[in-house]
């Protein structure tokens, strides 16, 4: 049999319950704090990688379009690591497809780099375990290290300078506790400050960043306890407050910035009013204006209906905990 260096992998996006916000090492994507996430069932990236001696450069095709040279350079940088690990120097064609619109406000870098790490290493003949895959995915985008696993996942920040102790691991299987995540789309306009730039500016300039660091470890530990004990009210109140603290740090940055728009606030208010009416729902917000609302399956329809009534809500997507990496 001739050489046939091709593999296809799929990874799902994740939503952070306790946010990764700030790096202690930018080139190794080492975080300042531990984080916690849910991998979502609805949104995934499927990536096929084929290495071939016939290629003079890497090619990256995203959703059936040739990627920009900037995107291509990032993929080549990532594949260089994979080539370095394997001792092979061939270039590759990377074919990646999201089953959700890339501009729809859902993080695609997490599922994207998790799927790429898995497909590229398998194609080139490396047999990495999930821990090594998580570390590799982290080097493309921090949050990608969590998308290796399904269900509820923690990313241990690690202490070492070389990053060998910074990787994700599962906390709870999705099937152990079914929660609902209503993903609320308020705008599909790309954000002006990327999470990478936003966290860097915040670490470097925001006087509120020390407040984040002072409290995030307790949030992480309490949220993990709440997960393990299936204590929804406790989990919800911690994750909501953790998201607010993250966003508060951006207001203190120089220059200051804010990920929310007025519709974001409308959703926040609606979630608060749902709670006053006896429905347990809690929000979280990543580096953008869209909101994710966490509730229990018994309340998911009521939560969704009330959010869809808001004039500035464009769409809602109902998600549940999803699977980890799969190979196709
Ligand atoms: O996901 O600079 O992974 O924990 O989404 O590529 O490492 O895109 F809310 C913000 C994700 C940040 C929280 O940052 O940054 C989280 C955030 P990179 P990411």
């Amino acid at each position: 049999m001739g050489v046939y260096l091709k593999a296809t992998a799929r990874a799902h996006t994740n939503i952070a319950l306790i946010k990764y916000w700030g790096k202690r090492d930018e080139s190794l994507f080492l975080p300042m704090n531990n984080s916690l996430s849910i991998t979502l069932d609805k949104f995934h990236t499927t990536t096929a990688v084929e290495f071939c001696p016939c290629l003079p450069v890497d090619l990256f095709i995203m959703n059936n379009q040739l990627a920009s040279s900037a995107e291509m350079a990032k993929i080549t940088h990532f594949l260089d690591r994979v080539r370095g690990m394997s001792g092979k120097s061939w270039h590759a064609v990377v074919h990646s497809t999201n089953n959700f619109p890339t501009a729809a406000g859902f993080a695609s870098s997490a599922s994207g780099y998790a799927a790429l790490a898995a497909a590229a290493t398998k194609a080139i003949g490396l047999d990495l375990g999930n821990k090594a895959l998580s570390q590799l995915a982290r080097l493309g985008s921090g949050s990608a290290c969590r998308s290796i696993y399904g269900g509820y996942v923690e990313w241990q920040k690690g202490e070492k300078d070389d990053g060998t102790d910074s990787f994700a691991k599962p906390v709870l299987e999705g099937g152990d506790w079914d929660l609902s995540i209503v993903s609320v789309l308020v705008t599909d306009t790309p954000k002006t400050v990327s999470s990478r730039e936003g966290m860097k500016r915040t670490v470097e300039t925001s006087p509120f960043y020390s407040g984040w660091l002072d409290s995030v470890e307790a949030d992480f530990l309490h949220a993990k306890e709440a997960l393990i004990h299936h204590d929804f009210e406790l989990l919800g109140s911690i994750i909501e407050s953790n998201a607010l603290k993250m966003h508060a740090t951006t207001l203190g940055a120089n220059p200051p910035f804010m990920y929310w728009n007025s519709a974001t606030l409308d959703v926040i208010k609606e979630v608060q009013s749902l709670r006053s009416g006896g429905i347990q729902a809690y929000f979280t917000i990543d580096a953008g204006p869209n909101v994710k609302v966490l509730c229990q399956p018994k309340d998911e329809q009521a939560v969704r209906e009330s959010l869809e009534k808001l004039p500035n809500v464009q769409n809602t997507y109902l998600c549940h905990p999803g699977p980890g990496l799969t190979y196709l």
Side-chain angles (χ1 to χ4, degrees), residues 254-322:
N254 183 17
F257 61 105
M258 184 190 271
Y259 284 117
W260 303 357
N261 63 25
S262 56
T264 310
L265 214 48
D266 294 342
V267 176
I268 290 176
K269 297 279 175 205
E270 185 62 25
V271 170
Q272 288 168 341
S273 104
L274 278 166
R275 279 212 296 275
S276 315
I279 293 181
Q280 286 184 334
Y282 298 87
F283 63 83
T284 186
I285 307 166
D286 276 340
N290 299 308
V291 185
K292 279 86 183 175
V293 180
L294 197 67
C295 64
Q296 295 169 98
K298 67 179 169 67
D299 296 322
E300 65 187 27
Q301 286 314 329
V303 168
R304 208 174 168 186
E305 277 163 27
S306 77
L307 294 169
E308 283 185 344
K309 279 192 198 125
L310 298 175
N312 291 320
V313 164
Q314 297 193 9
N315 218 334
T316 66
Y317 303 87
L318 179 59
C319 302
H320 290 272

Side-chain angles (χ1 to χ4, degrees), residues 16 19-20 23 29 141-143 146 195-196 199 246 286-287:
K19 308 297 181 190
Y20 147 49
K23 294 182 181 73
F29 293 76
S141 184
S143 54
R146 300 184 308 234
S195 45
R196 192 161 303 178
M199 66 174 83
M246 180 201 115
D286 276 340

Side-chain angles (χ1 to χ4, degrees), residues 14-21 23 29 35-37 107 109-110 113 138 140-144 146 155 191 195-197 199 246-247 259 285-288:
N14 71 78
I15 166 77
L17 300 177
I18 301 296
K19 308 297 181 190
Y20 147 49
W21 194 240
K23 294 182 181 73
F29 293 76
S35 57
L36 194 65
S37 58
S109 69
Y113 278 104
R138 190 198 78 221
S141 184
S143 54
R146 300 184 308 234
W155 174 9
K191 57 197 172 200
S195 45
R196 192 161 303 178
E197 160 62 17
M199 66 174 83
M246 180 201 115
H247 287 269
Y259 284 117
I285 307 166
D286 276 340

Side-chain angles (χ1 to χ4, degrees), residues 96-308:
S96 210
T97 319
N98 291 334
N99 75 332
F100 55 97
T102 302
F106 300 108
S108 56
S109 69
S111 53
Y113 278 104
L116 179 62
T121 53
K122 185 166 184 221
I124 214 163
L126 293 164
D127 186 15
L128 301 188
N130 279 343
K131 177 177 150 184
L133 281 175
S134 177
Q135 284 179 303
L136 177 62
R138 190 198 78 221
L139 295 165
S141 184
S143 54
C145 77
R146 300 184 308 234
S147 274
I148 299 296
Y149 299 99
Y152 302 86
V153 183
E154 67 177 297
W155 174 9
Q156 301 185 324
K157 65 187 169 82
E159 305 292 336
K160 294 185 184 165
D161 288 343
D162 65 2
T164 51
D165 58 352
S166 186
F167 50 85
K169 56 183 208 183
V171 175
L172 209 64
E173 295 295 318
D176 288 344
W177 196 19
D178 188 22
L179 291 181
S180 310
I181 304 98
V182 181
S183 199
V184 186
L185 183 72
V186 298
T187 177
D188 54 11
T189 311
K191 57 197 172 200
T192 50
V193 182
S194 68
S195 45
R196 192 161 303 178
E197 160 62 17
M199 66 174 83
K200 179 174 155 67
R201 195 190 300 173
T202 302
V203 170
E204 287 171 358
T205 67
S206 178
F208 306 152
Y209 190 70
S210 60
W212 167 260
L213 287 180
D214 286 347
S215 60
V216 65
E217 182 62 14
D219 285 353
F220 171 78
L221 292 172
H222 292 148
K224 214 172 128 176
E225 284 281 292
L227 263 185
I228 289 161
H229 295 112
H230 297 199
D231 185 336
F232 184 69
E233 204 172 337
L234 182 62
L235 180 70
S237 59
I238 295 166
I239 65 133
E240 196 172 286
S241 128
N242 185 262
L244 289 170
K245 281 187 276 195
M246 180 201 115
H247 287 269
T249 68
T250 73
L251 302 181
N254 183 17
F257 61 105
M258 184 190 271
Y259 284 117
W260 303 357
N261 63 25
S262 56
T264 310
L265 214 48
D266 294 342
V267 176
I268 290 176
K269 297 279 175 205
E270 185 62 25
V271 170
Q272 288 168 341
S273 104
L274 278 166
R275 279 212 296 275
S276 315
I279 293 181
Q280 286 184 334
Y282 298 87
F283 63 83
T284 186
I285 307 166
D286 276 340
N290 299 308
V291 185
K292 279 86 183 175
V293 180
L294 197 67
C295 64
Q296 295 169 98
K298 67 179 169 67
D299 296 322
E300 65 187 27
Q301 286 314 329
V303 168
R304 208 174 168 186
E305 277 163 27
S306 77
L307 294 169
E308 283 185 344

